[in-house]
Amino acid sequence: MTCREAIDVLADYLDRTMPADLAAELERHLAGCEPCRAYLATYRKTRALGTAVARVEMPDEMQARLLRFLADKLRSS
Amino acid sequence: MTRYSARVYRLAYGITRNAPDAEEVVQDVFLQIVYKGGGFEGRAALGSWIYRITTNLSLNKRRGKRRELETSLDELLPTYLADGHRAGDRAFLVADWSGTPERELLSGESRRLLEAAIDRLPEHYRAVLVLKDVEELSNEEVAQVVGDTVAAVKTRLHRARMALREQLTRHLGAGA
């Protein structure tokens, strides 16, 4: 397995949707390849950080506005 | 309703990256639920439909806006030598900042950089990233929502994450 092939399958590896023989081949590659180990570690961390930053919750006051908006619409329809 | 509105807002904000636009999308989605939502047989179908219309309305809202900010991902993807090894300076290739505490990375300059990087992702990439990584849908569910193949969804998701990783590594790598 080359670095290109290893990086191509990292998402499947983290999702655990990869066939066991391919996962074993990737792990053998990782064991001998420091750049790919660093890539996997930082890719995994990026996924966690991206999730945290992209997750923005609805403010409470907006929830209240939505209820008022829908009530007004229903009354006027 | 609170559960659905929270989901709708997260997805709408995740795609539009703009609170007023996301609020309008939420209102439009709930109007559609009120007027059309009675015909659904089960919660699963309703949930999937809500994600689909939220994604479509958010992409429409975003269309034409801030497109100039979007980055071409090609320059942020790994490059390779002819033999399949990564190309580039070895110190950069082995830079591993993953041990930095998440709390530290989610504050200050790193957070601003990551928010800007997410803002600049092409919108269809950001939609897939939010559906998969924030809403935790499966690749198959994401494909249904965005109306694309599973293979296309997986490619977009991987490229989006790699682009974010690259920008973080350029920022953090030297100090790792």
Side-chain angles (χ1 to χ4, degrees), chain A residues 18-62:
Chain A
M18 183 187 269
D21 56 341
L22 189 56
E25 194 180 339
L26 173 62
E27 284 165 1
R28 279 196 298 276
H29 176 86
L30 291 170
C33 182
E34 189 181 0
C36 282
R37 284 199 302 278
Y39 201 95
L40 172 62
T42 50
Y43 181 96
R44 180 187 274 133
K45 190 85 168 190
T46 298
R47 184 179 64 165
L49 296 171
T51 300
V53 167
R55 185 184 182 100
V56 175
E57 299 295 348
M58 188 177 199
D60 290 342
E61 65 272 19
M62 197 181 287

mmCIF file of all heavy atoms in Angstrom, chain A residues 18-62:
data_model
loop_
_atom_site.group_PDB
_atom_site.id
_atom_site.type_symbol
_atom_site.label_atom_id
_atom_site.label_comp_id
_atom_site.label_asym_id
_atom_site.label_seq_id
_atom_site.Cartn_x
_atom_site.Cartn_y
_atom_site.Cartn_z
ATOM 1 N N MET A 18 -14.480 -0.543 6.545
ATOM 2 C CA MET A 18 -13.484 -1.101 5.633
ATOM 3 C C MET A 18 -13.373 -2.617 5.840
ATOM 4 O O MET A 18 -13.429 -3.081 6.980
ATOM 5 C CB MET A 18 -12.158 -0.420 5.974
ATOM 6 C CG MET A 18 -11.009 -0.787 5.114
ATOM 7 S SD MET A 18 -9.537 -0.021 5.826
ATOM 8 C CE MET A 18 -9.539 1.479 4.960
ATOM 9 N N PRO A 19 -13.213 -3.384 4.768
ATOM 10 C CA PRO A 19 -13.005 -4.823 4.940
ATOM 11 C C PRO A 19 -11.778 -5.087 5.829
ATOM 12 O O PRO A 19 -10.799 -4.342 5.781
ATOM 13 C CB PRO A 19 -12.756 -5.318 3.509
ATOM 14 C CG PRO A 19 -13.343 -4.272 2.625
ATOM 15 C CD PRO A 19 -13.224 -2.968 3.361
ATOM 16 N N ALA A 20 -11.847 -6.153 6.620
ATOM 17 C CA ALA A 20 -10.798 -6.420 7.617
ATOM 18 C C ALA A 20 -9.419 -6.575 6.980
ATOM 19 O O ALA A 20 -8.416 -6.098 7.539
ATOM 20 C CB ALA A 20 -11.168 -7.681 8.403
ATOM 21 N N ASP A 21 -9.345 -7.214 5.798
ATOM 22 C CA ASP A 21 -8.024 -7.409 5.182
ATOM 23 C C ASP A 21 -7.419 -6.084 4.734
ATOM 24 O O ASP A 21 -6.207 -5.863 4.870
ATOM 25 C CB ASP A 21 -8.107 -8.410 4.015
ATOM 26 C CG ASP A 21 -9.120 -8.016 2.963
ATOM 27 O OD1 ASP A 21 -10.019 -7.190 3.264
ATOM 28 O OD2 ASP A 21 -9.017 -8.515 1.827
ATOM 29 N N LEU A 22 -8.262 -5.163 4.260
ATOM 30 C CA LEU A 22 -7.759 -3.853 3.841
ATOM 31 C C LEU A 22 -7.350 -3.026 5.061
ATOM 32 O O LEU A 22 -6.338 -2.308 5.039
ATOM 33 C CB LEU A 22 -8.840 -3.121 3.026
ATOM 34 C CG LEU A 22 -8.411 -1.832 2.338
ATOM 35 C CD1 LEU A 22 -7.214 -2.049 1.416
ATOM 36 C CD2 LEU A 22 -9.582 -1.245 1.540
ATOM 37 N N ALA A 23 -8.126 -3.142 6.142
ATOM 38 C CA ALA A 23 -7.769 -2.435 7.379
ATOM 39 C C ALA A 23 -6.421 -2.923 7.906
ATOM 40 O O ALA A 23 -5.585 -2.133 8.352
ATOM 41 C CB ALA A 23 -8.861 -2.631 8.426
ATOM 42 N N ALA A 24 -6.194 -4.237 7.815
ATOM 43 C CA ALA A 24 -4.919 -4.803 8.283
ATOM 44 C C ALA A 24 -3.772 -4.293 7.411
ATOM 45 O O ALA A 24 -2.679 -3.972 7.915
ATOM 46 C CB ALA A 24 -4.991 -6.332 8.248
ATOM 47 N N GLU A 25 -4.036 -4.189 6.111
ATOM 48 C CA GLU A 25 -2.995 -3.686 5.201
ATOM 49 C C GLU A 25 -2.677 -2.222 5.520
ATOM 50 O O GLU A 25 -1.510 -1.804 5.521
ATOM 51 C CB GLU A 25 -3.486 -3.827 3.749
ATOM 52 C CG GLU A 25 -2.367 -3.662 2.740
ATOM 53 C CD GLU A 25 -2.855 -3.794 1.299
ATOM 54 O OE1 GLU A 25 -3.927 -4.387 1.067
ATOM 55 O OE2 GLU A 25 -2.164 -3.282 0.408
ATOM 56 N N LEU A 26 -3.727 -1.454 5.799
ATOM 57 C CA LEU A 26 -3.514 -0.041 6.163
ATOM 58 C C LEU A 26 -2.702 0.047 7.454
ATOM 59 O O LEU A 26 -1.762 0.852 7.554
ATOM 60 C CB LEU A 26 -4.863 0.668 6.333
ATOM 61 C CG LEU A 26 -4.787 2.096 6.878
ATOM 62 C CD1 LEU A 26 -4.019 3.016 5.931
ATOM 63 C CD2 LEU A 26 -6.188 2.662 7.126
ATOM 64 N N GLU A 27 -3.033 -0.769 8.427
ATOM 65 C CA GLU A 27 -2.327 -0.715 9.707
ATOM 66 C C GLU A 27 -0.855 -1.102 9.538
ATOM 67 O O GLU A 27 0.024 -0.540 10.195
ATOM 68 C CB GLU A 27 -3.041 -1.600 10.735
ATOM 69 C CG GLU A 27 -4.309 -0.912 11.238
ATOM 70 C CD GLU A 27 -5.265 -1.825 11.981
ATOM 71 O OE1 GLU A 27 -4.941 -3.025 12.137
ATOM 72 O OE2 GLU A 27 -6.338 -1.344 12.385
ATOM 73 N N ARG A 28 -0.585 -2.043 8.640
ATOM 74 C CA ARG A 28 0.832 -2.382 8.362
ATOM 75 C C ARG A 28 1.536 -1.178 7.749
ATOM 76 O O ARG A 28 2.674 -0.870 8.079
ATOM 77 C CB ARG A 28 0.914 -3.589 7.408
ATOM 78 C CG ARG A 28 0.727 -4.935 8.100
ATOM 79 C CD ARG A 28 1.189 -6.093 7.217
ATOM 80 N NE ARG A 28 0.419 -6.200 5.980
ATOM 81 C CZ ARG A 28 -0.756 -6.824 5.883
ATOM 82 N NH1 ARG A 28 -1.296 -7.392 6.948
ATOM 83 N NH2 ARG A 28 -1.396 -6.878 4.727
ATOM 84 N N HIS A 29 0.859 -0.494 6.842
ATOM 85 C CA HIS A 29 1.462 0.700 6.223
ATOM 86 C C HIS A 29 1.719 1.770 7.294
ATOM 87 O O HIS A 29 2.801 2.359 7.357
ATOM 88 C CB HIS A 29 0.554 1.260 5.121
ATOM 89 C CG HIS A 29 1.088 2.538 4.534
ATOM 90 N ND1 HIS A 29 1.997 2.562 3.494
ATOM 91 C CD2 HIS A 29 0.876 3.844 4.873
ATOM 92 C CE1 HIS A 29 2.312 3.819 3.218
ATOM 93 N NE2 HIS A 29 1.635 4.621 4.035
ATOM 94 N N LEU A 30 0.716 1.984 8.139
ATOM 95 C CA LEU A 30 0.850 3.017 9.182
ATOM 96 C C LEU A 30 2.012 2.706 10.120
ATOM 97 O O LEU A 30 2.741 3.604 10.550
ATOM 98 C CB LEU A 30 -0.450 3.131 9.981
ATOM 99 C CG LEU A 30 -1.654 3.723 9.231
ATOM 100 C CD1 LEU A 30 -2.925 3.556 10.052
ATOM 101 C CD2 LEU A 30 -1.430 5.199 8.909
ATOM 102 N N ALA A 31 2.196 1.435 10.423
ATOM 103 C CA ALA A 31 3.254 1.039 11.360
ATOM 104 C C ALA A 31 4.629 1.456 10.840
ATOM 105 O O ALA A 31 5.527 1.775 11.632
ATOM 106 C CB ALA A 31 3.203 -0.471 11.588
ATOM 107 N N GLY A 32 4.782 1.508 9.521
ATOM 108 C CA GLY A 32 6.094 1.842 8.966
ATOM 109 C C GLY A 32 6.172 3.225 8.348
ATOM 110 O O GLY A 32 7.184 3.554 7.735
ATOM 111 N N CYS A 33 5.122 4.034 8.483
ATOM 112 C CA CYS A 33 5.096 5.321 7.763
ATOM 113 C C CYS A 33 4.710 6.455 8.719
ATOM 114 O O CYS A 33 3.528 6.654 9.017
ATOM 115 C CB CYS A 33 4.113 5.253 6.590
ATOM 116 S SG CYS A 33 4.082 6.788 5.633
ATOM 117 N N GLU A 34 5.713 7.197 9.176
ATOM 118 C CA GLU A 34 5.454 8.288 10.122
ATOM 119 C C GLU A 34 4.571 9.390 9.521
ATOM 120 O O GLU A 34 3.644 9.870 10.195
ATOM 121 C CB GLU A 34 6.777 8.872 10.622
ATOM 122 C CG GLU A 34 6.588 9.852 11.759
ATOM 123 C CD GLU A 34 7.902 10.446 12.247
ATOM 124 O OE1 GLU A 34 8.967 10.102 11.704
ATOM 125 O OE2 GLU A 34 7.844 11.268 13.173
ATOM 126 N N PRO A 35 4.820 9.809 8.260
ATOM 127 C CA PRO A 35 3.928 10.845 7.705
ATOM 128 C C PRO A 35 2.462 10.406 7.682
ATOM 129 O O PRO A 35 1.566 11.200 7.979
ATOM 130 C CB PRO A 35 4.469 11.055 6.278
ATOM 131 C CG PRO A 35 5.902 10.678 6.362
ATOM 132 C CD PRO A 35 5.940 9.541 7.340
ATOM 133 N N CYS A 36 2.194 9.158 7.352
ATOM 134 C CA CYS A 36 0.790 8.713 7.319
ATOM 135 C C CYS A 36 0.206 8.584 8.718
ATOM 136 O O CYS A 36 -0.988 8.842 8.917
ATOM 137 C CB CYS A 36 0.649 7.399 6.540
ATOM 138 S SG CYS A 36 0.708 7.669 4.740
ATOM 139 N N ARG A 37 1.042 8.215 9.695
ATOM 140 C CA ARG A 37 0.540 8.192 11.084
ATOM 141 C C ARG A 37 0.148 9.600 11.516
ATOM 142 O O ARG A 37 -0.886 9.814 12.141
ATOM 143 C CB ARG A 37 1.598 7.623 12.032
ATOM 144 C CG ARG A 37 1.755 6.114 11.961
ATOM 145 C CD ARG A 37 2.439 5.562 13.215
ATOM 146 N NE ARG A 37 3.764 6.119 13.476
ATOM 147 C CZ ARG A 37 4.887 5.709 12.893
ATOM 148 N NH1 ARG A 37 4.859 4.720 12.007
ATOM 149 N NH2 ARG A 37 6.048 6.263 13.195
ATOM 150 N N ALA A 38 1.009 10.572 11.166
ATOM 151 C CA ALA A 38 0.695 11.963 11.521
ATOM 152 C C ALA A 38 -0.557 12.419 10.783
ATOM 153 O O ALA A 38 -1.405 13.118 11.352
ATOM 154 C CB ALA A 38 1.878 12.861 11.167
ATOM 155 N N TYR A 39 -0.679 11.992 9.533
ATOM 156 C CA TYR A 39 -1.854 12.402 8.753
ATOM 157 C C TYR A 39 -3.127 11.855 9.382
ATOM 158 O O TYR A 39 -4.105 12.575 9.572
ATOM 159 C CB TYR A 39 -1.738 11.939 7.296
ATOM 160 C CG TYR A 39 -2.622 12.747 6.363
ATOM 161 C CD1 TYR A 39 -2.115 13.837 5.675
ATOM 162 C CD2 TYR A 39 -3.978 12.453 6.223
ATOM 163 C CE1 TYR A 39 -2.925 14.612 4.854
ATOM 164 C CE2 TYR A 39 -4.796 13.224 5.421
ATOM 165 C CZ TYR A 39 -4.256 14.299 4.729
ATOM 166 O OH TYR A 39 -5.073 15.068 3.936
ATOM 167 N N LEU A 40 -3.104 10.575 9.730
ATOM 168 C CA LEU A 40 -4.291 9.963 10.337
ATOM 169 C C LEU A 40 -4.652 10.653 11.654
ATOM 170 O O LEU A 40 -5.820 10.984 11.904
ATOM 171 C CB LEU A 40 -4.061 8.467 10.590
ATOM 172 C CG LEU A 40 -5.154 7.756 11.403
ATOM 173 C CD1 LEU A 40 -6.492 7.808 10.684
ATOM 174 C CD2 LEU A 40 -4.762 6.300 11.683
ATOM 175 N N ALA A 41 -3.629 10.902 12.498
ATOM 176 C CA ALA A 41 -3.906 11.515 13.808
ATOM 177 C C ALA A 41 -4.498 12.907 13.652
ATOM 178 O O ALA A 41 -5.461 13.279 14.340
ATOM 179 C CB ALA A 41 -2.618 11.573 14.632
ATOM 180 N N THR A 42 -3.956 13.690 12.719
ATOM 181 C CA THR A 42 -4.446 15.062 12.546
ATOM 182 C C THR A 42 -5.771 15.084 11.779
ATOM 183 O O THR A 42 -6.606 15.961 12.001
ATOM 184 C CB THR A 42 -3.386 15.938 11.841
ATOM 185 O OG1 THR A 42 -2.921 15.272 10.658
ATOM 186 C CG2 THR A 42 -2.208 16.194 12.759
ATOM 187 N N TYR A 43 -5.985 14.106 10.913
ATOM 188 C CA TYR A 43 -7.272 13.987 10.201
ATOM 189 C C TYR A 43 -8.374 13.676 11.217
ATOM 190 O O TYR A 43 -9.452 14.272 11.198
ATOM 191 C CB TYR A 43 -7.153 12.877 9.163
ATOM 192 C CG TYR A 43 -8.388 12.615 8.309
ATOM 193 C CD1 TYR A 43 -8.515 13.201 7.049
ATOM 194 C CD2 TYR A 43 -9.397 11.753 8.726
ATOM 195 C CE1 TYR A 43 -9.627 12.950 6.242
ATOM 196 C CE2 TYR A 43 -10.502 11.499 7.937
ATOM 197 C CZ TYR A 43 -10.604 12.094 6.687
ATOM 198 O OH TYR A 43 -11.711 11.833 5.908
ATOM 199 N N ARG A 44 -8.078 12.742 12.128
ATOM 200 C CA ARG A 44 -9.075 12.356 13.138
ATOM 201 C C ARG A 44 -9.396 13.557 14.042
ATOM 202 O O ARG A 44 -10.544 13.834 14.350
ATOM 203 C CB ARG A 44 -8.524 11.188 13.969
ATOM 204 C CG ARG A 44 -9.457 10.707 15.045
ATOM 205 C CD ARG A 44 -8.773 9.684 15.923
ATOM 206 N NE ARG A 44 -8.858 8.328 15.414
ATOM 207 C CZ ARG A 44 -7.852 7.467 15.313
ATOM 208 N NH1 ARG A 44 -6.652 7.834 15.686
ATOM 209 N NH2 ARG A 44 -8.033 6.251 14.855
ATOM 210 N N LYS A 45 -8.335 14.275 14.441
ATOM 211 C CA LYS A 45 -8.542 15.439 15.311
ATOM 212 C C LYS A 45 -9.307 16.533 14.571
ATOM 213 O O LYS A 45 -10.183 17.196 15.145
ATOM 214 C CB LYS A 45 -7.177 15.975 15.770
ATOM 215 C CG LYS A 45 -7.249 17.017 16.854
ATOM 216 C CD LYS A 45 -7.330 16.376 18.211
ATOM 217 C CE LYS A 45 -7.121 17.378 19.316
ATOM 218 N NZ LYS A 45 -6.964 16.711 20.619
ATOM 219 N N THR A 46 -9.002 16.708 13.285
ATOM 220 C CA THR A 46 -9.714 17.713 12.485
ATOM 221 C C THR A 46 -11.201 17.395 12.435
ATOM 222 O O THR A 46 -12.046 18.288 12.535
ATOM 223 C CB THR A 46 -9.144 17.762 11.054
ATOM 224 O OG1 THR A 46 -7.783 18.156 11.113
ATOM 225 C CG2 THR A 46 -9.928 18.738 10.177
ATOM 226 N N ARG A 47 -11.528 16.117 12.295
ATOM 227 C CA ARG A 47 -12.935 15.724 12.239
ATOM 228 C C ARG A 47 -13.647 16.137 13.526
ATOM 229 O O ARG A 47 -14.746 16.698 13.492
ATOM 230 C CB ARG A 47 -13.051 14.208 12.033
ATOM 231 C CG ARG A 47 -14.481 13.722 11.867
ATOM 232 C CD ARG A 47 -14.563 12.236 11.636
ATOM 233 N NE ARG A 47 -14.075 11.475 12.794
ATOM 234 C CZ ARG A 47 -14.279 10.181 12.987
ATOM 235 N NH1 ARG A 47 -14.935 9.477 12.081
ATOM 236 N NH2 ARG A 47 -13.822 9.559 14.047
ATOM 237 N N ALA A 48 -12.987 15.881 14.671
ATOM 238 C CA ALA A 48 -13.598 16.242 15.956
ATOM 239 C C ALA A 48 -13.732 17.751 16.102
ATOM 240 O O ALA A 48 -14.770 18.269 16.539
ATOM 241 C CB ALA A 48 -12.761 15.670 17.101
ATOM 242 N N LEU A 49 -12.682 18.478 15.711
ATOM 243 C CA LEU A 49 -12.724 19.939 15.842
ATOM 244 C C LEU A 49 -13.755 20.538 14.887
ATOM 245 O O LEU A 49 -14.509 21.450 15.248
ATOM 246 C CB LEU A 49 -11.342 20.534 15.524
ATOM 247 C CG LEU A 49 -10.206 20.158 16.473
ATOM 248 C CD1 LEU A 49 -8.870 20.642 15.910
ATOM 249 C CD2 LEU A 49 -10.438 20.743 17.856
ATOM 250 N N GLY A 50 -13.797 20.025 13.668
ATOM 251 C CA GLY A 50 -14.759 20.523 12.677
ATOM 252 C C GLY A 50 -16.183 20.314 13.151
ATOM 253 O O GLY A 50 -17.044 21.186 12.994
ATOM 254 N N THR A 51 -16.435 19.162 13.754
ATOM 255 C CA THR A 51 -17.769 18.882 14.280
ATOM 256 C C THR A 51 -18.131 19.887 15.368
ATOM 257 O O THR A 51 -19.244 20.440 15.387
ATOM 258 C CB THR A 51 -17.815 17.453 14.848
ATOM 259 O OG1 THR A 51 -17.517 16.540 13.797
ATOM 260 C CG2 THR A 51 -19.180 17.129 15.431
ATOM 261 N N ALA A 52 -17.177 20.147 16.259
ATOM 262 C CA ALA A 52 -17.446 21.072 17.364
ATOM 263 C C ALA A 52 -17.704 22.488 16.848
ATOM 264 O O ALA A 52 -18.609 23.177 17.333
ATOM 265 C CB ALA A 52 -16.265 21.065 18.345
ATOM 266 N N VAL A 53 -16.932 22.914 15.864
ATOM 267 C CA VAL A 53 -17.069 24.290 15.371
ATOM 268 C C VAL A 53 -18.310 24.445 14.486
ATOM 269 O O VAL A 53 -18.985 25.472 14.524
ATOM 270 C CB VAL A 53 -15.782 24.703 14.607
ATOM 271 C CG1 VAL A 53 -16.005 25.985 13.818
ATOM 272 C CG2 VAL A 53 -14.635 24.889 15.588
ATOM 273 N N ALA A 54 -18.615 23.415 13.701
ATOM 274 C CA ALA A 54 -19.758 23.517 12.778
ATOM 275 C C ALA A 54 -21.090 23.345 13.488
ATOM 276 O O ALA A 54 -22.141 23.674 12.948
ATOM 277 C CB ALA A 54 -19.626 22.468 11.662
ATOM 278 N N ARG A 55 -21.065 22.823 14.720
ATOM 279 C CA ARG A 55 -22.305 22.573 15.456
ATOM 280 C C ARG A 55 -22.719 23.842 16.202
ATOM 281 O O ARG A 55 -22.152 24.187 17.229
ATOM 282 C CB ARG A 55 -22.086 21.419 16.449
ATOM 283 C CG ARG A 55 -23.332 20.992 17.185
ATOM 284 C CD ARG A 55 -23.017 19.920 18.221
ATOM 285 N NE ARG A 55 -24.226 19.519 18.866
ATOM 286 C CZ ARG A 55 -24.906 18.405 18.564
ATOM 287 N NH1 ARG A 55 -24.451 17.583 17.662
ATOM 288 N NH2 ARG A 55 -26.029 18.119 19.158
ATOM 289 N N VAL A 56 -23.693 24.540 15.659
ATOM 290 C CA VAL A 56 -24.175 25.780 16.287
ATOM 291 C C VAL A 56 -25.646 25.578 16.633
ATOM 292 O O VAL A 56 -26.461 25.276 15.767
ATOM 293 C CB VAL A 56 -23.989 26.974 15.326
ATOM 294 C CG1 VAL A 56 -24.604 28.234 15.918
ATOM 295 C CG2 VAL A 56 -22.501 27.179 15.039
ATOM 296 N N GLU A 57 -25.967 25.708 17.924
ATOM 297 C CA GLU A 57 -27.332 25.425 18.374
ATOM 298 C C GLU A 57 -28.227 26.644 18.223
ATOM 299 O O GLU A 57 -27.779 27.782 18.248
ATOM 300 C CB GLU A 57 -27.310 24.973 19.840
ATOM 301 C CG GLU A 57 -26.505 23.703 20.103
ATOM 302 C CD GLU A 57 -27.089 22.445 19.439
ATOM 303 O OE1 GLU A 57 -28.233 22.486 18.955
ATOM 304 O OE2 GLU A 57 -26.375 21.410 19.403
ATOM 305 N N MET A 58 -29.507 26.362 18.104
ATOM 306 C CA MET A 58 -30.510 27.410 17.945
ATOM 307 C C MET A 58 -30.651 28.200 19.251
ATOM 308 O O MET A 58 -30.890 27.609 20.309
ATOM 309 C CB MET A 58 -31.843 26.752 17.592
ATOM 310 C CG MET A 58 -32.927 27.704 17.209
ATOM 311 S SD MET A 58 -34.402 26.732 16.750
ATOM 312 C CE MET A 58 -35.306 27.946 15.819
ATOM 313 N N PRO A 59 -30.534 29.528 19.175
ATOM 314 C CA PRO A 59 -30.717 30.317 20.408
ATOM 315 C C PRO A 59 -32.154 30.190 20.919
ATOM 316 O O PRO A 59 -33.093 30.071 20.122
ATOM 317 C CB PRO A 59 -30.442 31.753 19.941
ATOM 318 C CG PRO A 59 -29.716 31.627 18.637
ATOM 319 C CD PRO A 59 -30.183 30.359 18.012
ATOM 320 N N ASP A 60 -32.315 30.252 22.240
ATOM 321 C CA ASP A 60 -33.654 30.108 22.843
ATOM 322 C C ASP A 60 -34.635 31.151 22.316
ATOM 323 O O ASP A 60 -35.801 30.860 22.074
ATOM 324 C CB ASP A 60 -33.565 30.222 24.373
ATOM 325 C CG ASP A 60 -32.880 29.006 24.982
ATOM 326 O OD1 ASP A 60 -32.794 27.974 24.288
ATOM 327 O OD2 ASP A 60 -32.425 29.093 26.131
ATOM 328 N N GLU A 61 -34.137 32.391 22.161
ATOM 329 C CA GLU A 61 -35.056 33.456 21.723
ATOM 330 C C GLU A 61 -35.535 33.206 20.292
ATOM 331 O O GLU A 61 -36.644 33.568 19.913
ATOM 332 C CB GLU A 61 -34.424 34.845 21.855
ATOM 333 C CG GLU A 61 -33.225 35.121 20.983
ATOM 334 C CD GLU A 61 -31.908 34.702 21.632
ATOM 335 O OE1 GLU A 61 -31.939 33.894 22.581
ATOM 336 O OE2 GLU A 61 -30.855 35.167 21.160
ATOM 337 N N MET A 62 -34.712 32.531 19.492
ATOM 338 C CA MET A 62 -35.124 32.214 18.123
ATOM 339 C C MET A 62 -36.215 31.138 18.136
ATOM 340 O O MET A 62 -37.136 31.151 17.328
ATOM 341 C CB MET A 62 -33.919 31.738 17.309
ATOM 342 C CG MET A 62 -34.145 31.785 15.810
ATOM 343 S SD MET A 62 -32.708 31.203 14.883
ATOM 344 C CE MET A 62 -31.582 32.572 15.089
#
